[in-house]
Amino acid sequence: MYKNKNVLQRKKTLPVRKRRRPWLVIILAVLVVAAVVTSIVLLRHKPTTPKDTIHTTANSETKGEPQTSPASTPSQPNSSTPQSSEDASGQKPSQDGTTGQTSLVAPSGNFVSSHKADLSSVPSLQSVCVTTPGASCYITFTQGSTTKSLATQTTDRGGAAYWTWKLQDIGITEGNWTITASATLNGETKTGTDALKLEVTP
């Protein structure tokens, strides 16, 4: 009698187990499919960085310095319609209505990479002058009646000139030096003065 009862109980419980297993498999399959679909959607909508965010103006007429905006590189002028170029500072130089010449933009930029320098460590400094493309630009350092300057350079098609130099190259001594950039184009000259002075220690 007891054996028959055990057999009946096994028969009753066995189908229940068989019924539960398909549901478990279905639930697992649904979870796997949901995970795969989610990963595909995330990969397709992954943000990408535009290729033209940073580019260089490297060619035979430029120094190849990086530009942060496509608008800073002047477009090629059309033979039928003259265009004004836009310099690296975002300023667009105007043209003189009578002569058609491009007017000069006042110099701007990072006139010196560090406003504190040490003569004993012989640091290399970088200077940038941004103005109208094709202008002659130089940077001067003044202390009292003494003036030292970097060699004159012609700005590239982006409107910038670059220098890498050392204090000893131009004879700068200890003290505070006023920094001024000067640009000349078509007989016109404009200057820009750094708000900070170059502080040189022994």
Side-chain angles (χ1 to χ4, degrees):
M1 242 354 234
Y2 291 108
K3 290 182 180 180
N4 291 336
K5 285 183 178 181
N6 290 335
V7 171
L8 288 173
Q9 287 178 356
R10 287 179 185 174
K11 287 182 179 180
K12 287 180 180 179
T13 56
L14 187 58
V16 173
R17 289 180 185 174
K18 287 183 178 179
R19 288 175 189 166
R20 288 180 182 173
R21 285 181 184 172
W23 287 108
L24 183 60
V25 172
I26 291 172
I27 290 171
L28 289 174
V30 169
L31 290 175
V32 170
V33 170
V36 170
V37 170
T38 303
S39 62
I40 291 173
V41 170
L42 290 176
L43 287 175
R44 284 190 177 180
H45 291 85
K46 185 178 180 181
T48 56
T49 304
K51 292 181 180 178
D52 60 347
T53 302
I54 296 178
H55 67 283
T56 62
T57 58
N59 57 42
S60 61
E61 301 178 49
T62 67
K63 306 293 185 300
E65 295 295 323
Q67 301 290 330
T68 56
S69 170
S72 62
T73 303
S75 57
Q76 295 291 337
N78 191 333
S79 57
S80 58
T81 57
Q83 299 178 359
S84 62
S85 58
E86 188 172 320
D87 67 21
S89 65
Q91 296 174 308
K92 185 176 285 188
S94 59
Q95 290 186 343
D96 186 343
T98 57
T99 63
Q101 294 179 337
T102 301
S103 63
L104 184 64
V105 174
S108 62
N110 195 10
F111 296 156
V112 66
S113 56
S114 176
H115 289 86
K116 292 186 178 182
D118 187 352
L119 283 169
S120 61
S121 63
V122 194
S124 290
L125 301 172
Q126 287 79 38
S127 295
V128 181
C129 174
V130 180
T131 181
T132 306
S136 297
C137 188
Y138 63 94
I139 297 176
T140 59
F141 302 86
T142 306
Q143 182 187 59
S145 59
T146 304
T147 299
K148 306 293 183 180
S149 63
L150 298 175
T152 302
Q153 291 196 34
T154 302
T155 57
D156 61 21
R157 294 182 63 187
Y162 307 89
W163 295 263
T164 298
W165 56 284
K166 295 181 179 180
L167 299 173
Q168 292 79 1
D169 293 342
I170 59 175
I172 287 185
T173 57
E174 64 177 292
N176 295 332
W177 297 79
T178 302
I179 310 166
T180 305
S182 301
T184 303
L185 182 67
N186 300 326
E188 182 183 10
T189 300
K190 289 188 178 181
T191 60
T193 303
D194 199 321
L196 299 176
K197 291 187 176 184
L198 175 62
E199 298 177 20
V200 181
T201 57

